[in-house]
Amino acid sequence: MASERSGGRGEVIARILNHTPLGSPVTQIYNRYDYAAEKRAALELWAETLLKISTAKRGA
């Protein structure tokens, strides 16, 4: 997801993978934004990238 093909941001990828949020403990506590729109966009872009890769391999 973090490749130049799909361009996922590190913070969004970490949230998709349910990793501990980056930053200080205070930031971790108070940043309650769920990043749903960003996660959806990143996953859709990743799905498109995987589809292109798999289609290219089948056609080769």
Side-chain angles (χ1 to χ4, degrees):
M1 283 182 70
S3 76
E4 66 278 351
R5 289 182 182 172
S6 57
R9 288 183 16 225
E11 182 177 8
V12 175
I13 294 169
R15 291 187 179 267
I16 289 169
L17 297 173
N18 203 28
H19 290 178
T20 303
L22 301 173
S24 72
V26 173
T27 302
Q28 293 173 15
I29 292 168
Y30 288 107
N31 185 3
R32 297 296 182 191
Y33 182 61
D34 66 2
Y35 292 84
E38 291 86 348
K39 290 189 290 188
R40 177 180 296 278
L43 289 169
E44 287 175 353
L45 202 58
W46 189 38
E48 291 173 15
T49 301
L50 293 175
L51 185 61
K52 287 178 188 176
I53 292 169
S54 66
T55 303
K57 287 188 178 184
R58 277 190 227 143

